[in-house]
Amino acid sequence: MNKLKPKTLGAIPTTPWRFIFFITKVHKKWAILAIVAVIIAAVVNSGASYFFKLIVDAVEANDLEAAMFWGLLYPVVVFLNQITYRVSGYAGAHWENGSNKAALDTLTKYLMDHSHSFFIDRFAGSITNKLRNVTGAFENIIPDFLWAHLNSLVSFLVTFALIMSVDAKSAGLFLALLVALFLVNKKFAPGKTVVSKASAEAGTKLQGRTVDVLSNISTVRQYVKRDYELEQLQILTTNKSKKGIANWLYTEKLLLINSAVLFVFALGMFWLLVSEWGKGGISTGDFVLVLALVSNITNSLLFVGRA
């Protein structure tokens, strides 16, 4: 069983990423396995598009044996790659849940070491809500890091390398697309942070007030505060709803802008490919390869700024 050493309990890091490293270091073996598995799976997942080139080129050359070989090998590679992703999921489950438990145990002990006056001066709902916010973060941070950010980063690199092997101009345009998306999302990131924070704070206030009311329901009824508390809760739910809609709509606006950027660059990239193919600069297999690569990476590029 993994346990945190007592001497570390009195020096809990206060910044998010330092706290994450502090908590997850006792599960580093699972973390390393999950990271390595995701990297391998992402490389194979993007590289599997190369089979389309091999199959098309074999068909064009009337090489039935080669076309049959690559065509049958492709689903085998896809299946093995899915197993690799499942390995990352198995390791990620131990990493995330183990870290969540370690965070909960650490913070609970830290809270219980406080004086009695600490709890008198603070609402139980507020304390439990903050505790839940911290421990619950592991349920999102680790999966997002593994299967969103790391997986996308590796996929971008492999896609760029394969497009570069086909046509340098198209690869340059793909790189320009990544830069353009980065700059666009960087520009809108501050606004997204504001609306996301406002939505999260609205949910926190509602949850904390709800816990406080329900945990002191007898007092609320005794002093005829039921209608007042109900009104306050309704105000908080309304605020949470409005903030949630604002956050959602801002995300939709960002996705629409990303879609427009993708459209412009994809149009330019395919125009270059058609021109090179028409001049005999690339084979039909190369053309299909780039189409498959761009198609596979489009969804990741579209949602690059969603978080």
Side-chain angles (χ1 to χ4, degrees), residues 51-185:
F51 278 87
F52 298 145
K53 166 183 164 53
L54 296 173
I55 293 170
V56 171
D57 286 343
V59 170
E60 281 204 321
N62 292 319
D63 189 343
L64 179 61
E65 183 177 346
M68 182 68 70
F69 174 76
W70 295 120
L72 294 177
L73 184 59
Y74 175 73
V76 175
V77 171
V78 171
F79 176 70
L80 292 176
N81 193 48
Q82 287 302 311
I83 292 178
T84 307
Y85 270 121
R86 301 292 68 78
V87 170
S88 73
Y90 179 82
H94 284 81
W95 182 18
E96 185 261 301
N97 287 282
S99 298
N100 200 334
K101 178 186 182 305
L104 184 59
D105 291 344
T106 301
L107 294 177
T108 300
K109 183 183 184 304
Y110 174 75
L111 284 171
M112 293 180 68
D113 286 341
H114 280 68
S115 64
H116 181 65
S117 60
F118 173 84
F119 296 96
I120 293 178
D121 296 337
R122 290 167 176 80
F123 291 112
S126 177
I127 296 176
T128 55
N129 196 45
K130 286 181 171 60
L131 185 64
R132 173 58 187 164
N133 287 343
V134 174
T135 57
F138 286 97
E139 299 174 4
N140 297 317
I141 291 179
I142 292 177
D144 284 350
F145 166 72
L146 288 174
W147 298 292
H149 304 307
L150 180 61
N151 188 74
S152 296
L153 176 61
V154 175
S155 297
F156 293 159
L157 295 176
V158 175
T159 298
F160 175 74
L162 289 176
I163 295 178
M164 176 65 79
S165 70
V166 173
D167 180 54
K169 292 181 181 178
S170 296
L173 199 58
F174 178 75
L175 187 60
L177 167 61
L178 296 181
V179 173
L181 285 173
F182 172 78
L183 293 176
V184 168
N185 285 273

Side-chain angles (χ1 to χ4, degrees), residues 26 40 63 225 230 250:
V26 295
I40 293 174
D63 189 343
K225 291 288 187 176
L230 184 59
Y250 195 95

Side-chain angles (χ1 to χ4, degrees), residues 169 268-282 287:
K169 292 181 181 178
M269 188 180 301
F270 293 146
W271 180 82
L272 285 175
L273 288 172
V274 171
S275 299
E276 288 297 316
W277 178 72
K279 294 185 295 186
I282 61 174
F287 196 175

